[in-house]
Amino acid sequence: MVSVIGQTVIITYFVLSMITVIEYINVKTNGICNNYMRKHEWLQIFIAAFLGLIPGCLGSYSLVSLYTHDVVSFGALVANLIATTGDEAFFMYALMPKTALLVNGILLALAVAVGYGVNFVAKHKRNTCGQEKHFELHEADHVHKTNDFSRGDFTLKKLSFHRAVMLVSIVVFMTLLLTGVIEDNHHDNGSLTTIELGFHHSGGDGDVHESKTIDWVTVTFAIISLFSLFIVLTVPEHFLDHHLWNHVIKKHFVKVFLWTLFALSAIYIMNFYLDVERFVTGNYFYVLLVAVAIGVIPESGPHLIFISLYLSGTIPLPILLANSIVQDGHGAIPLFAENKKDFFIVKGLKLVIALVIGMFFC
């Protein structure tokens, strides 16, 4: 359960960081970026789908944040969560690159087509999915074009309580992450988010192999943390209080943290008592049902069994594809925290699509 709490902290921190970055960009550009995205739904679908293709869950976290703030449409959300395969993408590219390209190509085409289809069907129901418009611009935003820090009146004596809390939180999180006190459990699932680089040199005793590892998940979190730190250090008090504290912290922190903790705890208990591999046996239809059922789990790990079974020749490609369509790694957990209704709608839609495709190719 310690790893569950650590994972909850990491997911919550990243989601809040992405909302912070989006708030900052929205205010700095006077809402141009977000308004452009809102007005061009055709562009949203492509951006959402390509974000989903990024190995890991970070692209989906970002898109979910945009959706829950009414920047992108429901079709864009569906496209993103169809295209993503979470950490399983690292495994597929490493172990079967040609198949990985084929699967992701199919997912991309399917994501774009379904995304456009969803928007066409629900074109008059944009705001009926429960999202709220939180990325707002205030009159004071265009007044504070220069920040407190650049005017030279940002000092420790004038450090507000809210700014101090956020600064300390970011520094503590970065310290815990970089020192390994809390770590992303993607490593526990054996995913290839850590890339090994090999170096050879000749010594007196022959060739010696040295290796270094680059953990791209940790690097990404570090970059985002530094950007968040920059934002908290430099923005004026109005932005800090109204956009970050009243919006990001008050409206999202508790909800995202508690529901993420609940979801991950339930998954942890289920994985502890359920032997997934034991159930993946039998005829094609039964295995297809199991594949899409396992795909509903918002977790990276259980789906790896289908990659292993495909590599061993136990299951055909349509089974792997069906599981890939339904599953989205950790990407949908923030959506579950913010809007459980939409979470189940998306999962249900993907499940139906996966079953249809799986049965068509059986």
Side-chain angles (χ1 to χ4, degrees):
M1 286 301 291
V2 174
S3 63
V4 169
I5 295 174
Q7 185 69 8
T8 300
V9 171
I10 289 174
I11 291 176
T12 302
Y13 178 85
F14 184 82
V15 171
L16 298 187
S17 295
M18 289 309 305
I19 296 175
T20 297
V21 170
I22 295 169
E23 280 276 16
Y24 182 78
I25 294 174
N26 187 48
V27 171
K28 279 293 185 181
T29 62
N30 290 321
I32 293 175
C33 292
N34 288 349
N35 289 334
Y36 187 83
M37 287 280 284
R38 284 193 184 100
K39 292 177 181 178
H40 297 82
E41 291 190 352
W42 63 271
L43 182 62
Q44 292 178 17
I45 303 298
F46 282 99
I47 293 176
F50 278 105
L51 281 175
L53 290 181
I54 298 174
C57 307
L58 305 187
S60 293
Y61 288 165
S62 303
L63 199 284
V64 169
S65 297
L66 289 172
Y67 171 73
T68 56
H69 292 84
D70 197 33
V71 175
V72 299
S73 64
F74 187 62
L77 175 71
V78 173
N80 176 269
L81 294 180
I82 287 177
T84 188
T85 53
D87 287 344
E88 279 69 12
F90 290 106
F91 257 92
M92 288 194 287
Y93 279 117
L95 300 177
M96 46 183 187
K98 290 183 179 179
T99 302
L101 288 173
L102 175 61
V103 169
N104 280 277
I106 295 173
L107 291 178
L108 175 61
L110 185 64
V112 172
V114 174
Y116 277 120
V118 168
N119 276 355
F120 178 79
V121 172
K123 60 182 176 181
H124 299 301
K125 300 180 180 181
R126 178 182 180 83
N127 294 318
T128 60
C129 295
Q131 64 265 49
E132 302 176 13
K133 293 182 178 180
H134 290 321
F135 289 138
E136 301 172 346
L137 293 175
H138 307 131
E139 258 185 66
D141 288 326
H142 71 273
V143 175
H144 298 291
K145 289 301 181 184
T146 57
N147 55 58
D148 297 336
F149 191 83
S150 64
R151 291 201 304 266
D153 57 359
F154 179 86
T155 64
L156 290 177
K157 291 183 179 180
K158 293 185 178 181
L159 188 66
S160 66
F161 172 75
H162 293 167
R163 196 186 299 269
V165 169
M166 284 187 269
L167 286 175
V168 171
S169 299
I170 294 171
V171 171
V172 169
F173 176 84
M174 290 178 64
T175 302
L176 294 176
L177 185 67
L178 294 175
T179 56
V181 176
I182 59 174
E183 57 184 355
D184 192 14
N185 74 353
H186 296 79
H187 304 297
D188 296 334
N189 296 327
S191 73
L192 301 179
T193 51
T194 301
I195 307 300
E196 183 175 299
L197 304 178
F199 302 89
H200 293 82
H201 65 82
S202 297
D205 297 326
D207 290 340
V208 178
H209 177 77
E210 296 178 357
S211 65
K212 295 182 179 180
T213 59
I214 298 177
D215 183 349
W216 292 111
V217 172
T218 301
V219 170
T220 303
F221 275 118
I223 292 173
I224 293 171
S225 297
L226 288 173
F227 193 23
S228 299
L229 187 64
F230 166 79
I231 292 173
V232 174
L233 275 172
T234 60
V235 294
E237 286 298 325
H238 167 80
F239 183 93
L240 189 94
D241 289 336
H242 291 273
H243 291 276
L244 300 188
W245 188 265
N246 290 336
H247 172 208
V248 178
I249 303 300
K250 284 189 174 181
K251 291 186 177 180
H252 291 281
F253 173 71
V254 174
K255 181 164 58 175
V256 172
F257 181 86
L258 291 180
W259 279 109
T260 300
L261 180 62
F262 169 78
L264 292 180
S265 298
I267 292 167
Y268 174 85
I269 294 171
M270 183 180 65
N271 287 340
F272 184 80
Y273 289 103
L274 180 65
D275 184 359
V276 175
E277 188 171 0
R278 185 168 59 89
F279 289 96
V280 186
T281 56
N283 59 44
Y284 181 94
F285 182 70
Y286 177 77
V287 176
L288 176 62
L289 292 179
V290 173
V292 297
I294 297 297
V296 174
I297 301 172
E299 168 71 290
S300 288
H303 318 289
L304 292 175
I305 180 62
F306 296 100
I307 296 176
S308 301
L309 291 173
Y310 174 76
L311 287 170
S312 67
T314 305
I315 62 173
L317 182 62
I319 295 288
L320 175 64
L321 180 61
N323 175 261
S324 299
I325 292 170
V326 183
Q327 71 105 342
D328 34 50
H330 292 107
I333 289 182
L335 178 64
F336 179 76
E338 293 281 0
N339 194 318
K340 282 160 281 298
K341 176 184 174 183
D342 287 357
F343 171 85
F344 287 110
I345 290 175
V346 175
K347 282 290 188 180
L349 179 60
K350 296 204 300 175
L351 190 148
V352 171
I353 293 171
L355 285 174
V356 170
I357 290 178
M359 292 299 296
F360 180 79
F361 289 104
C362 69

